[in-house]
C-alpha cells in the first residue's frame, strides 16, 4: 500500500485548507489517483489495522440494497450510525423514514435504481417494448402513460461480463440526481466500470470517488471495491487484475493528521490476499453462472489471509 502512503504524503505536502459542511477543516487536493495490480495482493492498509469485518459488512449491505443503519449494524458495520441519526440536516429531511433510516443510498441505486418512462398512449411499439422489459404502468394522464421499473444495475453488469465481455459499457452509477435529496449522504464512490479481458480471463475495475476522506473513507472504499471485483470475478470466471481508483476532492480532516503522520512513520508491510469461501461457485470450475450470489453472500464468506499490520489507530468521523 505504498500508493496510499504516497497519496497521504501528497495531500499533506500540497493540500490547501478548506472549509466544509462538517465544521472540521480539511487539507484538500483537487484530483488524485491510485492504481493497484490485484494479482500482487489485496489493497488493505497495513500501517494501521483495517477494520476489515466492518468494511465487508458495509459492502454486503450495499449488495443487498440496505437503507437502514440497523441492517448495517446487523452485518457488523457501525459506520452509518452517525450519518443516520446525528446529522441535523438529515434529521430535518422530510424523506427520512425514522430512526436508522438512511434513505436511497448506494445499494438502493445499485440494485433498484428507480426508472420511469412517459409514453404517449398511441405509441404502441414503445409501450410493448417497455412492458417487455419489465416496466409496469403506474399512472395515466389524458395523453400518456407513466411506467416504472427498478433497474438492478449490478446484476446487469454481471450478466454483461458473462455474455458480452467485449462490451465497453459495463458500469453502474450511484449518482441519481432525482433522489439526491432523499439520501442521508449523496454518494461519494459513485461510478464503477468493469473492464473484462476475455482472452486473458482478467477483470479490471475503474472507480470514481467524488469526495474522499483519505484517513477513514479511502481504506474502506479500496477494500470494498477490491472485494467486489474479486466476487464478480468469481461469479463470471475472471481473475481480478487492475484496480484504478480516481478521486475528485481528496482530503484529510484536521483531526486525522496525527493518525496519518504516525502511519507515514511506519513501513508498509506485504499485501495480504483475499479468499472467498468455496461455497460461492467459481464459474471457471463449475460452469454454473449464479449471479444470485450477489445478494446471498455473507460477510463471513470473505477472509483476509496473511494480513500483517501495524497496531490499530483511529480518528473521529466528521459528520
Ligand atoms: N466523514 C466521513 N468519512 C467517511 O469516510 C464516511 C462518512 N463520513 N460517512 C459515510 C461513510 C461511512 N464510511 C466510514 C465511516 C467511518 C469510518 C470509521 O470510523 N472507521 C474507523 C473505525 C471503523 C470500525 O471500527 O468499524 C477506522 O478506524 O477505520 C469508516 C468509514 C465512509 N463514509
Ligand atoms: O464511502 C465514502 C463515503 C463518504 N466519504 C467521505 C467523503 C467526505 O469526507 C464525506 C462526505 O461529505 P460530502 O460533503 O458529501 O463530500 O464522507 C468517503 O470518503 N467515502
Amino acid at each position: 500500500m505504498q500508493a496510499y502512503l504516497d497519496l497521504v504524503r501528497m495531500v499533506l505536502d500540497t493540500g490547501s485548507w478548506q472549509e466544509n459542511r462538517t465544521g472540521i477543516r480539511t487539507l484538500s487536493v483537487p484530483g488524485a489517483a491510485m492504481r493497484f495490480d490485484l494479482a500482487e495482493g489485496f489493497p488493505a492498509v497495513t500501517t494501521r489495522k483495517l477494520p476489515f469485518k466492518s468494511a465487508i459488512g458495509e459492502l454486503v449491505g450495499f449488495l443487498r440494497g440496505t437503507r437502514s443503519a440497523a441492517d448495517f449494524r446487523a452485518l457488523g458495520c457501525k459506520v452509518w450510525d452517525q450519518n443516520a441519526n446525528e446529522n441535523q440536516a438529515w434529521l430535518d429531511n422530510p424523506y427520512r423514514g425514522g430512526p436508522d433510516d438512511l434513505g436511497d443510498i448506494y445499494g438502493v441505486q445499485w440494485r433498484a435504481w428507480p426508472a420511469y418512462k412517459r409514453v404517449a398512449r398511441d405509441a404502441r411499439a414503445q409501450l410493448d417494448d417497455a412492458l417487455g422489459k419489465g416496466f409496469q404502468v403506474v399512472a395515466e394522464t389524458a395523453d400518456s402513460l407513466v411506467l416504472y421499473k427498478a433497474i438492478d444495475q449490478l446484476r446487469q453488469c454481471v450478466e454483461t461480463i458473462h455474455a458480452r465481455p467485449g462490451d465497453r459499457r459495463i458500469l453502474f452509477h450511484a449518482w441519481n440526481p432525482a433522489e439526491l435529496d432523499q439520501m442521508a449522504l449523496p454518494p461519494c464512490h459513485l461510478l464503477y466500470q468493469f473492464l473484462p479481458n476475455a482472452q486473458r480471463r482478467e477483470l479490471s475495475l475503474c472507480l470514481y470517488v467524488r469526495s474522499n476522506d483519505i484517513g477513514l473513507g479511502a481504506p474502506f472504499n479500496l477494500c470494498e471495491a477490491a472485494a467486489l471485483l474479486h466476487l464478480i470475478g468469481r461469479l463470471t470466471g475472471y481473475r481480478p487484475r487492475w484496480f484504478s481508483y480516481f478521486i475528485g476532492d481528496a482530503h484529510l480532516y484536521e483531526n486525522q493528521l496525527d493518525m496519518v503522520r504516525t502511519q507515514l512513520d511506519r513501513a508498509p508491510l506485504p499485501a495480504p490476499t483475499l479468499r472467498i469461501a468455496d461455497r460461492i461457485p467459481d464459474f471457471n470450475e463449475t460452469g454454473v453462472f449464479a449471479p444470485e450470489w450477489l445478494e446471498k453472500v455473507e460477510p463471513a464468506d470473505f477472509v483476509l489471509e496473511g494480513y500483517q499490520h501495524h497496531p490499530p489507530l483511529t480518528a473521529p468521523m466528521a459528520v
Side-chain angles (χ1 to χ4, degrees):
M1 284 289 273
Q2 188 60 47
Y4 175 74
L5 298 178
D6 291 345
L7 173 63
V8 168
R9 163 70 57 205
M10 192 268 279
V11 176
L12 286 174
D13 288 349
T14 69
S16 343
W17 285 111
Q18 299 203 347
E19 306 289 335
N20 61 79
R21 61 168 183 86
T22 68
I24 304 175
R25 288 193 308 164
T26 58
L27 264 182
S28 297
V29 168
M34 293 184 275
R35 191 167 188 245
F36 302 91
D37 181 355
L38 297 189
E40 308 249 293
F42 188 79
V45 64
T46 59
T47 46
R48 70 181 178 99
K49 186 173 187 224
L50 170 73
F52 178 74
K53 287 203 164 70
S54 175
I56 292 295
E58 186 183 31
L59 174 63
V60 170
F62 292 155
L63 291 171
R64 295 180 188 177
T66 301
R67 52 183 304 134
S68 156
D71 293 338
F72 281 110
R73 281 198 300 279
L75 289 165
C77 174
K78 295 187 190 137
V79 302
W80 281 100
D81 291 4
Q82 288 172 287
N83 286 115
N85 300 318
E86 291 175 27
N87 178 304
Q88 198 57 46
W90 178 240
L91 295 177
D92 295 340
N93 187 312
Y95 290 100
R96 181 174 180 264
D100 284 326
D101 185 39
L102 291 158
D104 300 319
I105 61 160
Y106 302 96
V108 178
Q109 306 299 336
W110 293 13
R111 308 308 309 266
W113 175 293
Y116 293 90
K117 278 185 195 295
R118 186 167 158 188
V119 175
R121 278 183 185 277
D122 55 7
R124 194 67 233 178
Q126 289 177 15
L127 189 59
D128 287 347
D129 182 76
L131 293 171
K133 287 174 176 155
F135 280 85
Q136 290 182 334
V137 177
V138 291
E140 304 188 19
T141 65
D143 57 0
S144 59
L145 302 172
V146 178
L147 298 98
Y148 165 83
K149 172 188 169 181
I151 297 182
D152 186 345
Q153 300 188 78
L154 189 57
R155 174 81 176 233
Q156 286 184 352
C157 286
V158 173
E159 285 171 353
T160 309
I161 294 165
H162 177 59
R164 291 193 314 279
D167 198 307
R168 293 174 297 201
R169 306 164 181 181
I170 311 174
L171 58 87
F172 68 89
H173 214 313
W175 192 262
N176 182 344
E179 296 207 323
L180 293 177
D181 58 349
Q182 299 170 216
M183 303 177 190
L185 199 69
C188 291
H189 47 104
L190 48 77
L191 175 60
Y192 291 74
Q193 182 179 5
F194 295 96
L195 303 116
N197 181 326
Q199 206 187 346
R200 296 187 177 184
R201 296 303 287 184
E202 289 174 355
L203 185 63
S204 296
L205 171 67
C206 287
L207 168 59
Y208 186 82
V209 188
R210 68 162 175 89
S211 167
N212 209 189
D213 172 344
I214 301 303
L216 293 180
F220 269 57
N221 297 140
L222 290 169
C223 167
E224 292 173 51
L228 177 64
L229 186 56
H230 274 266
L231 175 65
I232 291 181
R234 171 72 68 90
L235 297 176
T236 54
Y238 284 80
R239 279 189 312 278
R241 193 67 208 269
W242 300 104
F243 171 30
S244 305
Y245 186 92
F246 302 98
I247 307 173
D249 184 317
H251 50 265
L252 287 167
Y253 285 97
E254 191 164 19
N255 60 4
Q256 301 173 332
L257 298 186
D258 287 346
M259 175 179 83
V260 296
R261 286 200 179 107
T262 306
Q263 287 182 261
L264 288 179
D265 288 338
R266 298 173 168 182
L269 298 163
T273 51
L274 181 73
R275 193 169 59 76
I276 296 185
D278 294 342
R279 72 186 191 118
I280 313 236
D282 184 334
F283 179 75
N284 268 342
E285 284 169 18
T286 60
V288 178
F289 179 60
E292 64 277 12
W293 279 97
L294 286 175
E295 53 273 3
K296 277 170 41 182
V297 71
E298 295 285 343
D301 289 321
F302 296 87
V303 179
L304 205 49
E305 290 186 330
Y307 181 39
Q308 300 175 49
H309 55 80
H310 288 270
L313 291 172
T314 195
M317 185 190 97
V319 185

